[in-house]
Amino acid sequence: MPQVAYLFPGQGSQAVGMARALVDRYPAAAEAMAEADDVLGFGLSTLCFEGPEETLTDTINAQPALLAASVAVLRALDQALPGLPAPIAVAGHSMGEYSALVAAGSLSYPDALRLVRERGRLMKEAGQLSPGGMVAILGLEVAQVVALCTQAADLSRGVVQMANDNCPGQTVISGDDQSLELAMDLARQAGAKKVVRLAVSIAAHSPLMAPAAAALRQAVAAIDVRPPAMPVIGNVHAQPLLTVEAIRADLAAQLTESVRWTESMRWLAGQGIDLVAEIGSGDVLTNLMKRIERGVARLAVGDPEGIERLRAA
């Protein structure tokens, strides 16, 4: 029996039509999407299935939509593959950590939906108060990116830092517009293969999200969090979140700290994982894993075909 870990996608993986095929095939998935509609008080499932894309992509909608799609997959797996062994660990990229915590039994599905909806609202509000953005940099090492962010912040007296260490040679930086422009110039001078401004107006995973982090900390403190049934690899420290206190701290710190995804996946590989299954929309995380630990098998499980591939594995 292979050792399996579940990975849960974050913002950017949303797509119009996600979870639709699952809902058509599995009543349990349909129930998960209907529950999201009831909890949030609007037609989130219709937005997932039909768009419009611009509304789905809005951070306040994208975050609960991605969570709902991932839970729909989990429910479909329970229906299609009864007795399927639980994963030995879970991890989620940025807001995907909430989906991982639902899978591990630490957060209830309704509480997680409300939290990510509020997280999206707070991040959007913080972005309006402190405008900024994010930039993808390809072809530089993490140490180079950290150094050029420090240099750019010193020159601009502003904010820019590494937001995501996604895989070797692929990082994302985040900050105010002036500091980002300086960092982009420095990255090109350092020999980056590609420097691309992302289509977001929020400096996620940077100190510009501090107001959102403070408010989110209060929201997380107000809900029930339980010890996880399996290791949940936290974004902030790339280590398992083993206690309720660690989970609460990580969820709040996430907004201003970097997502250490490469280290998280290497931790998993070090535990003898044979297979990672991406639970939800898209295949971003399985593609990243290919560049981090090529020896670990990968499956995207977001539709009935993905469930059948997991059954075969």
Side-chain angles (χ1 to χ4, degrees):
M1 182 72 68
Q3 299 292 294
V4 180
Y6 286 177
L7 309 182
F8 294 88
Q11 204 162 338
S13 289
Q14 68 277 355
V16 174
M18 63 185 186
R20 185 61 185 263
L22 287 170
V23 165
D24 291 343
R25 176 86 170 267
Y26 301 107
E31 290 168 8
M33 298 303 294
E35 185 177 349
D37 292 348
D38 291 342
V39 168
L40 297 178
F42 75 101
L44 181 70
S45 59
T46 301
L47 184 58
C48 289
F49 302 155
E50 301 175 8
E53 184 176 2
E54 181 180 353
T55 306
L56 177 61
T57 300
D58 189 328
T59 187
I60 198 171
N61 297 321
Q63 297 195 36
L66 285 160
L67 173 69
S70 288
V71 172
V73 176
L74 289 173
R75 299 272 180 90
L77 283 171
D78 286 343
Q79 181 181 343
L81 306 176
L84 181 72
I88 68 167
V90 294
H93 192 285
S94 192
M95 66 73 38
E97 190 168 300
Y98 289 78
S99 304
L101 288 165
V102 172
S106 290
L107 293 178
S108 73
Y109 180 37
D111 280 345
L113 282 166
R114 296 185 192 99
L115 274 177
V116 294
R117 176 77 167 171
E118 179 68 358
R119 183 181 188 267
R121 186 190 72 80
L122 291 169
M123 291 175 70
K124 186 173 182 178
E125 188 177 84
Q128 291 165 344
L129 289 171
S130 302
M134 304 178 78
V135 171
I137 298 176
L138 305 183
L140 296 182
E141 298 297 324
V142 167
Q144 292 175 285
V145 174
V146 170
L148 68 85
C149 284
T150 300
Q151 185 180 354
D154 288 344
L155 290 170
S156 67
R157 298 191 178 183
V159 170
V160 61
Q161 72 175 32
M162 188 177 71
N164 302 340
D165 171 16
N166 284 331
C167 68
Q170 185 189 122
T171 57
V172 176
I173 63 173
S174 184
D176 65 77
D177 290 328
Q178 182 183 2
S179 302
L180 276 180
E181 289 296 329
L182 282 169
M184 291 171 74
D185 288 341
L186 291 169
R188 293 185 186 103
Q189 293 169 25
K193 293 179 182 177
K194 200 169 186 178
V195 180
V196 182
R197 183 77 183 245
L198 302 181
V200 296
S201 58
I202 293 174
H205 303 293
S206 85
L208 296 182
M209 289 290 110
L216 184 64
R217 184 174 290 107
Q218 295 181 352
V220 171
I223 57 102
D224 182 40
V225 180
R226 297 175 292 280
M230 64 201 67
V232 179
I233 315 309
N235 286 186
V236 176
H237 301 293
Q239 293 290 319
L241 304 173
L242 301 176
T243 66
V244 168
E245 293 75 18
I247 291 167
R248 292 188 193 276
D250 200 85
L251 291 180
Q254 255 198 353
L255 293 187
T256 56
E257 300 294 329
S258 303
V259 175
R260 295 166 61 178
W261 193 251
T262 298
E263 293 171 78
S264 296
M265 295 303 97
R266 285 179 173 158
W267 186 92
L268 279 179
Q271 308 310 301
I273 294 292
D274 302 304
L275 170 69
V276 292
E278 184 167 0
I279 306 296
S281 178
D283 58 2
V284 169
L285 302 182
T286 49
N287 286 332
L288 292 180
M289 191 60 158
K290 184 177 181 180
R291 299 190 59 182
I292 297 169
E293 291 287 348
R294 187 174 289 273
V296 176
R298 305 163 300 278
L299 279 178
V301 185
D303 55 24
E305 290 74 21
I307 289 176
E308 289 307 310
R309 287 192 294 269
L310 185 60
R311 184 199 302 271

